[in-house]
PDB file of all heavy atoms in Angstrom:
ATOM      1  N   ALA A  16       0.856  -1.205   0.044  1.00  0.00           N
ATOM      2  CA  ALA A  16       0.014  -0.022  -0.011  1.00  0.00           C
ATOM      3  C   ALA A  16       0.845   1.252   0.029  1.00  0.00           C
ATOM      4  O   ALA A  16       1.710   1.369   0.888  1.00  0.00           O
ATOM      5  CB  ALA A  16      -0.916   0.001   1.201  1.00  0.00           C
ATOM      6  N   ILE A  17       0.659   2.094  -0.976  1.00  0.00           N
ATOM      7  CA  ILE A  17       1.438   3.355  -1.072  1.00  0.00           C
ATOM      8  C   ILE A  17       0.473   4.445  -0.526  1.00  0.00           C
ATOM      9  O   ILE A  17      -0.631   4.653  -1.036  1.00  0.00           O
ATOM     10  CB  ILE A  17       1.828   3.724  -2.489  1.00  0.00           C
ATOM     11  CG1 ILE A  17       2.767   2.623  -3.058  1.00  0.00           C
ATOM     12  CG2 ILE A  17       2.541   5.073  -2.560  1.00  0.00           C
ATOM     13  CD1 ILE A  17       3.040   2.718  -4.528  1.00  0.00           C
ATOM     14  N   ILE A  18       0.908   5.081   0.556  1.00  0.00           N
ATOM     15  CA  ILE A  18       0.083   6.168   1.176  1.00  0.00           C
ATOM     16  C   ILE A  18       0.832   7.481   0.974  1.00  0.00           C
ATOM     17  O   ILE A  18       1.856   7.745   1.577  1.00  0.00           O
ATOM     18  CB  ILE A  18      -0.162   5.884   2.666  1.00  0.00           C
ATOM     19  CG1 ILE A  18      -0.757   4.464   2.860  1.00  0.00           C
ATOM     20  CG2 ILE A  18      -0.988   6.912   3.286  1.00  0.00           C
ATOM     21  CD1 ILE A  18      -0.736   3.974   4.270  1.00  0.00           C
ATOM     22  N   SER A  19       0.293   8.303   0.123  1.00  0.00           N
ATOM     23  CA  SER A  19       0.997   9.556  -0.207  1.00  0.00           C
ATOM     24  C   SER A  19       0.080  10.622  -0.733  1.00  0.00           C
ATOM     25  O   SER A  19      -0.980  10.318  -1.360  1.00  0.00           O
ATOM     26  CB  SER A  19       2.059   9.242  -1.251  1.00  0.00           C
ATOM     27  OG  SER A  19       2.824  10.412  -1.605  1.00  0.00           O
ATOM     28  N   SER A  20       0.437  11.884  -0.481  1.00  0.00           N
ATOM     29  CA  SER A  20      -0.267  13.009  -1.147  1.00  0.00           C
ATOM     30  C   SER A  20       0.415  13.334  -2.441  1.00  0.00           C
ATOM     31  O   SER A  20      -0.153  14.163  -3.254  1.00  0.00           O
ATOM     32  CB  SER A  20      -0.265  14.223  -0.206  1.00  0.00           C
ATOM     33  OG  SER A  20       1.096  14.679  -0.052  1.00  0.00           O
ATOM     34  N   TYR A  21       1.616  12.763  -2.656  1.00  0.00           N
ATOM     35  CA  TYR A  21       2.501  12.971  -3.812  1.00  0.00           C
ATOM     36  C   TYR A  21       2.909  14.443  -3.957  1.00  0.00           C
ATOM     37  O   TYR A  21       3.200  14.930  -5.060  1.00  0.00           O
ATOM     38  CB  TYR A  21       1.738  12.512  -5.140  1.00  0.00           C
ATOM     39  CG  TYR A  21       1.394  11.096  -5.084  1.00  0.00           C
ATOM     40  CD1 TYR A  21       0.122  10.650  -4.677  1.00  0.00           C
ATOM     41  CD2 TYR A  21       2.331  10.091  -5.403  1.00  0.00           C
ATOM     42  CE1 TYR A  21      -0.168   9.238  -4.659  1.00  0.00           C
ATOM     43  CE2 TYR A  21       2.103   8.727  -5.337  1.00  0.00           C
ATOM     44  CZ  TYR A  21       0.811   8.351  -4.967  1.00  0.00           C
ATOM     45  OH  TYR A  21       0.469   6.989  -4.881  1.00  0.00           O
ATOM     46  N   LYS A  22       2.960  15.111  -2.811  1.00  0.00           N
ATOM     47  CA  LYS A  22       3.442  16.479  -2.744  1.00  0.00           C
ATOM     48  C   LYS A  22       4.824  16.487  -2.167  1.00  0.00           C
ATOM     49  O   LYS A  22       5.125  15.731  -1.275  1.00  0.00           O
ATOM     50  CB  LYS A  22       2.514  17.326  -1.898  1.00  0.00           C
ATOM     51  CG  LYS A  22       1.144  17.563  -2.553  1.00  0.00           C
ATOM     52  CD  LYS A  22       0.221  18.353  -1.693  1.00  0.00           C
ATOM     53  CE  LYS A  22      -1.168  18.508  -2.316  1.00  0.00           C
ATOM     54  NZ  LYS A  22      -2.138  19.241  -1.498  1.00  0.00           N
ATOM     55  N   PHE A  23       5.694  17.345  -2.691  1.00  0.00           N
ATOM     56  CA  PHE A  23       7.039  17.448  -2.221  1.00  0.00           C
ATOM     57  C   PHE A  23       7.115  17.771  -0.716  1.00  0.00           C
ATOM     58  O   PHE A  23       6.345  18.559  -0.217  1.00  0.00           O
ATOM     59  CB  PHE A  23       7.808  18.504  -2.977  1.00  0.00           C
ATOM     60  CG  PHE A  23       8.190  18.182  -4.357  1.00  0.00           C
ATOM     61  CD1 PHE A  23       8.637  19.133  -5.221  1.00  0.00           C
ATOM     62  CD2 PHE A  23       8.102  16.820  -4.833  1.00  0.00           C
ATOM     63  CE1 PHE A  23       9.005  18.831  -6.542  1.00  0.00           C
ATOM     64  CE2 PHE A  23       8.495  16.514  -6.127  1.00  0.00           C
ATOM     65  CZ  PHE A  23       8.908  17.495  -7.006  1.00  0.00           C
ATOM     66  N   PHE A  24       8.087  17.009  -0.098  1.00  0.00           N
ATOM     67  CA  PHE A  24       8.365  17.224   1.364  1.00  0.00           C
ATOM     68  C   PHE A  24       7.300  16.787   2.287  1.00  0.00           C
ATOM     69  O   PHE A  24       7.385  17.039   3.487  1.00  0.00           O
ATOM     70  CB  PHE A  24       8.830  18.665   1.641  1.00  0.00           C
ATOM     71  CG  PHE A  24       9.841  19.132   0.612  1.00  0.00           C
ATOM     72  CD1 PHE A  24       9.548  20.192  -0.222  1.00  0.00           C
ATOM     73  CD2 PHE A  24      11.080  18.525   0.521  1.00  0.00           C
ATOM     74  CE1 PHE A  24      10.455  20.636  -1.151  1.00  0.00           C
ATOM     75  CE2 PHE A  24      12.017  18.971  -0.428  1.00  0.00           C
ATOM     76  CZ  PHE A  24      11.695  20.037  -1.246  1.00  0.00           C
ATOM     77  N   ARG A  25       6.314  16.042   1.805  1.00  0.00           N
ATOM     78  CA  ARG A  25       5.274  15.483   2.654  1.00  0.00           C
ATOM     79  C   ARG A  25       5.620  14.022   2.831  1.00  0.00           C
ATOM     80  O   ARG A  25       6.173  13.355   1.904  1.00  0.00           O
ATOM     81  CB  ARG A  25       3.858  15.569   2.014  1.00  0.00           C
ATOM     82  CG  ARG A  25       3.419  17.002   1.774  1.00  0.00           C
ATOM     83  CD  ARG A  25       2.894  17.627   3.097  1.00  0.00           C
ATOM     84  NE  ARG A  25       2.437  19.002   2.856  1.00  0.00           N
ATOM     85  CZ  ARG A  25       1.193  19.229   2.528  1.00  0.00           C
ATOM     86  NH1 ARG A  25       0.287  18.300   2.288  1.00  0.00           N
ATOM     87  NH2 ARG A  25       0.780  20.516   2.369  1.00  0.00           N
ATOM     88  N   ARG A  26       5.306  13.447   3.924  1.00  0.00           N
ATOM     89  CA  ARG A  26       5.616  12.050   4.238  1.00  0.00           C
ATOM     90  C   ARG A  26       4.867  11.048   3.299  1.00  0.00           C
ATOM     91  O   ARG A  26       3.665  11.156   3.160  1.00  0.00           O
ATOM     92  CB  ARG A  26       5.331  11.718   5.696  1.00  0.00           C
ATOM     93  CG  ARG A  26       5.324  10.243   6.056  1.00  0.00           C
ATOM     94  CD  ARG A  26       6.748   9.718   6.143  1.00  0.00           C
ATOM     95  NE  ARG A  26       7.390  10.088   7.341  1.00  0.00           N
ATOM     96  CZ  ARG A  26       8.658   9.732   7.635  1.00  0.00           C
ATOM     97  NH1 ARG A  26       9.367   9.106   6.758  1.00  0.00           N
ATOM     98  NH2 ARG A  26       9.196  10.102   8.811  1.00  0.00           N
ATOM     99  N   THR A  27       5.576  10.149   2.764  1.00  0.00           N
ATOM    100  CA  THR A  27       5.025   9.020   1.929  1.00  0.00           C
ATOM    101  C   THR A  27       5.359   7.756   2.717  1.00  0.00           C
ATOM    102  O   THR A  27       6.510   7.552   3.158  1.00  0.00           O
ATOM    103  CB  THR A  27       5.607   9.025   0.539  1.00  0.00           C
ATOM    104  OG1 THR A  27       5.051  10.089  -0.220  1.00  0.00           O
ATOM    105  CG2 THR A  27       5.156   7.737  -0.167  1.00  0.00           C
ATOM    106  N   ARG A  28       4.402   6.850   2.743  1.00  0.00           N
ATOM    107  CA  ARG A  28       4.684   5.544   3.410  1.00  0.00           C
ATOM    108  C   ARG A  28       4.342   4.404   2.429  1.00  0.00           C
ATOM    109  O   ARG A  28       3.348   4.471   1.719  1.00  0.00           O
ATOM    110  CB  ARG A  28       3.792   5.374   4.681  1.00  0.00           C
ATOM    111  CG  ARG A  28       4.309   6.180   5.832  1.00  0.00           C
ATOM    112  CD  ARG A  28       3.290   6.342   6.941  1.00  0.00           C
ATOM    113  NE  ARG A  28       2.149   7.153   6.422  1.00  0.00           N
ATOM    114  CZ  ARG A  28       1.064   7.441   7.168  1.00  0.00           C
ATOM    115  NH1 ARG A  28       0.926   6.944   8.359  1.00  0.00           N
ATOM    116  NH2 ARG A  28       0.084   8.188   6.689  1.00  0.00           N
ATOM    117  N   VAL A  29       5.256   3.436   2.434  1.00  0.00           N
ATOM    118  CA  VAL A  29       5.058   2.242   1.615  1.00  0.00           C
ATOM    119  C   VAL A  29       4.937   1.120   2.589  1.00  0.00           C
ATOM    120  O   VAL A  29       5.919   0.699   3.260  1.00  0.00           O
ATOM    121  CB  VAL A  29       6.213   2.021   0.620  1.00  0.00           C
ATOM    122  CG1 VAL A  29       6.043   0.844  -0.191  1.00  0.00           C
ATOM    123  CG2 VAL A  29       6.418   3.246  -0.256  1.00  0.00           C
ATOM    124  N   VAL A  30       3.712   0.533   2.701  1.00  0.00           N
ATOM    125  CA  VAL A  30       3.427  -0.493   3.659  1.00  0.00           C
ATOM    126  C   VAL A  30       3.438  -1.873   2.993  1.00  0.00           C
ATOM    127  O   VAL A  30       2.638  -2.090   2.072  1.00  0.00           O
ATOM    128  CB  VAL A  30       2.089  -0.269   4.436  1.00  0.00           C
ATOM    129  CG1 VAL A  30       1.953  -1.243   5.541  1.00  0.00           C
ATOM    130  CG2 VAL A  30       2.038   1.160   4.973  1.00  0.00           C
ATOM    131  N   ILE A  31       4.255  -2.771   3.403  1.00  0.00           N
ATOM    132  CA  ILE A  31       4.394  -4.089   2.830  1.00  0.00           C
ATOM    133  C   ILE A  31       3.669  -5.109   3.722  1.00  0.00           C
ATOM    134  O   ILE A  31       4.005  -5.225   4.913  1.00  0.00           O
ATOM    135  CB  ILE A  31       5.844  -4.450   2.627  1.00  0.00           C
ATOM    136  CG1 ILE A  31       6.550  -3.435   1.690  1.00  0.00           C
ATOM    137  CG2 ILE A  31       6.017  -5.886   1.971  1.00  0.00           C
ATOM    138  CD1 ILE A  31       8.052  -3.533   1.674  1.00  0.00           C
ATOM    139  N   GLY A  32       2.732  -5.828   3.205  1.00  0.00           N
ATOM    140  CA  GLY A  32       1.972  -6.808   3.972  1.00  0.00           C
ATOM    141  C   GLY A  32       2.565  -8.179   3.861  1.00  0.00           C
ATOM    142  O   GLY A  32       3.493  -8.470   3.079  1.00  0.00           O
ATOM    143  N   LYS A  33       2.021  -9.163   4.607  1.00  0.00           N
ATOM    144  CA  LYS A  33       2.410 -10.541   4.583  1.00  0.00           C
ATOM    145  C   LYS A  33       2.010 -11.153   3.254  1.00  0.00           C
ATOM    146  O   LYS A  33       0.968 -10.849   2.715  1.00  0.00           O
ATOM    147  CB  LYS A  33       1.883 -11.277   5.743  1.00  0.00           C
ATOM    148  CG  LYS A  33       2.405 -10.859   7.093  1.00  0.00           C
ATOM    149  CD  LYS A  33       1.800 -11.655   8.257  1.00  0.00           C
ATOM    150  CE  LYS A  33       2.364 -11.183   9.585  1.00  0.00           C
ATOM    151  NZ  LYS A  33       1.794 -11.875  10.764  1.00  0.00           N
ATOM    152  N   PRO A  34       2.881 -12.076   2.717  1.00  0.00           N
ATOM    153  CA  PRO A  34       2.521 -12.731   1.439  1.00  0.00           C
ATOM    154  C   PRO A  34       1.210 -13.503   1.489  1.00  0.00           C
ATOM    155  O   PRO A  34       0.866 -14.095   2.553  1.00  0.00           O
ATOM    156  CB  PRO A  34       3.684 -13.722   1.250  1.00  0.00           C
ATOM    157  CG  PRO A  34       4.828 -13.106   1.990  1.00  0.00           C
ATOM    158  CD  PRO A  34       4.181 -12.477   3.274  1.00  0.00           C
ATOM    159  N   VAL A  35       0.458 -13.334   0.377  1.00  0.00           N
ATOM    160  CA  VAL A  35      -0.855 -14.059   0.295  1.00  0.00           C
ATOM    161  C   VAL A  35      -0.657 -15.313  -0.552  1.00  0.00           C
ATOM    162  O   VAL A  35      -0.133 -15.203  -1.683  1.00  0.00           O
ATOM    163  CB  VAL A  35      -1.900 -13.122  -0.351  1.00  0.00           C
ATOM    164  CG1 VAL A  35      -3.195 -13.887  -0.539  1.00  0.00           C
ATOM    165  CG2 VAL A  35      -2.076 -11.829   0.482  1.00  0.00           C
ATOM    166  N   GLU A  36      -0.986 -16.450   0.004  1.00  0.00           N
ATOM    167  CA  GLU A  36      -0.860 -17.655  -0.754  1.00  0.00           C
ATOM    168  C   GLU A  36      -2.217 -18.061  -1.343  1.00  0.00           C
ATOM    169  O   GLU A  36      -3.204 -17.995  -0.667  1.00  0.00           O
ATOM    170  CB  GLU A  36      -0.421 -18.826   0.217  1.00  0.00           C
ATOM    171  CG  GLU A  36       0.947 -18.572   0.919  1.00  0.00           C
ATOM    172  CD  GLU A  36       2.097 -18.808   0.001  1.00  0.00           C
ATOM    173  OE1 GLU A  36       1.922 -19.324  -1.151  1.00  0.00           O
ATOM    174  OE2 GLU A  36       3.275 -18.451   0.380  1.00  0.00           O
ATOM    175  N   LEU A  37      -2.189 -18.415  -2.603  1.00  0.00           N
ATOM    176  CA  LEU A  37      -3.441 -18.790  -3.312  1.00  0.00           C
ATOM    177  C   LEU A  37      -3.418 -20.304  -3.670  1.00  0.00           C
ATOM    178  O   LEU A  37      -4.045 -20.706  -4.649  1.00  0.00           O
ATOM    179  CB  LEU A  37      -3.555 -17.921  -4.548  1.00  0.00           C
ATOM    180  CG  LEU A  37      -3.630 -16.479  -4.360  1.00  0.00           C
ATOM    181  CD1 LEU A  37      -3.629 -15.722  -5.692  1.00  0.00           C
ATOM    182  CD2 LEU A  37      -4.885 -16.108  -3.606  1.00  0.00           C
ATOM    183  N   ALA A  38      -2.756 -21.110  -2.811  1.00  0.00           N
ATOM    184  CA  ALA A  38      -2.552 -22.540  -3.111  1.00  0.00           C
ATOM    185  C   ALA A  38      -3.867 -23.270  -3.229  1.00  0.00           C
ATOM    186  O   ALA A  38      -3.965 -24.257  -3.979  1.00  0.00           O
ATOM    187  CB  ALA A  38      -1.744 -23.187  -1.994  1.00  0.00           C
ATOM    188  N   GLU A  39      -4.936 -22.764  -2.606  1.00  0.00           N
ATOM    189  CA  GLU A  39      -6.249 -23.429  -2.696  1.00  0.00           C
ATOM    190  C   GLU A  39      -6.788 -23.446  -4.150  1.00  0.00           C
ATOM    191  O   GLU A  39      -7.750 -24.289  -4.417  1.00  0.00           O
ATOM    192  CB  GLU A  39      -7.233 -22.810  -1.761  1.00  0.00           C
ATOM    193  CG  GLU A  39      -7.586 -21.354  -2.055  1.00  0.00           C
ATOM    194  CD  GLU A  39      -8.406 -20.685  -1.002  1.00  0.00           C
ATOM    195  OE1 GLU A  39      -9.610 -20.968  -0.864  1.00  0.00           O
ATOM    196  OE2 GLU A  39      -7.810 -19.832  -0.325  1.00  0.00           O
ATOM    197  N   TYR A  40      -6.262 -22.571  -4.970  1.00  0.00           N
ATOM    198  CA  TYR A  40      -6.773 -22.481  -6.321  1.00  0.00           C
ATOM    199  C   TYR A  40      -5.908 -23.178  -7.386  1.00  0.00           C
ATOM    200  O   TYR A  40      -6.237 -23.307  -8.506  1.00  0.00           O
ATOM    201  CB  TYR A  40      -6.977 -21.029  -6.748  1.00  0.00           C
ATOM    202  CG  TYR A  40      -7.847 -20.244  -5.840  1.00  0.00           C
ATOM    203  CD1 TYR A  40      -7.350 -19.341  -4.929  1.00  0.00           C
ATOM    204  CD2 TYR A  40      -9.212 -20.418  -5.922  1.00  0.00           C
ATOM    205  CE1 TYR A  40      -8.206 -18.612  -4.087  1.00  0.00           C
ATOM    206  CE2 TYR A  40     -10.067 -19.694  -5.061  1.00  0.00           C
ATOM    207  CZ  TYR A  40      -9.539 -18.768  -4.160  1.00  0.00           C
ATOM    208  OH  TYR A  40     -10.345 -18.097  -3.333  1.00  0.00           O
ATOM    209  N   TYR A  41      -4.692 -23.665  -6.908  1.00  0.00           N
ATOM    210  CA  TYR A  41      -3.754 -24.257  -7.821  1.00  0.00           C
ATOM    211  C   TYR A  41      -4.403 -25.499  -8.515  1.00  0.00           C
ATOM    212  O   TYR A  41      -5.023 -26.352  -7.869  1.00  0.00           O
ATOM    213  CB  TYR A  41      -2.466 -24.682  -7.135  1.00  0.00           C
ATOM    214  CG  TYR A  41      -1.631 -23.538  -6.605  1.00  0.00           C
ATOM    215  CD1 TYR A  41      -0.545 -23.864  -5.805  1.00  0.00           C
ATOM    216  CD2 TYR A  41      -1.938 -22.207  -6.864  1.00  0.00           C
ATOM    217  CE1 TYR A  41       0.205 -22.793  -5.250  1.00  0.00           C
ATOM    218  CE2 TYR A  41      -1.157 -21.197  -6.374  1.00  0.00           C
ATOM    219  CZ  TYR A  41      -0.108 -21.479  -5.574  1.00  0.00           C
ATOM    220  OH  TYR A  41       0.726 -20.461  -5.087  1.00  0.00           O
TER     221      TYR A  41
END
């Protein structure tokens, strides 16, 4: 998830979540 106003000098956060496994559909 990218959380940003895309304005200079404002805080941007890049949040990385846990991997999602889709093995039930293989």
Side-chain angles (χ1 to χ4, degrees):
I17 300 170
I18 304 167
S19 181
S20 65
Y21 300 97
K22 293 178 180 176
F23 286 167
F24 312 116
R25 299 280 182 88
R26 167 75 78 184
T27 290
R28 284 162 293 178
V29 181
V30 186
I31 302 167
K33 292 180 180 179
V35 177
E36 300 285 350
L37 300 173
E39 63 189 286
Y40 302 106
Y41 294 170

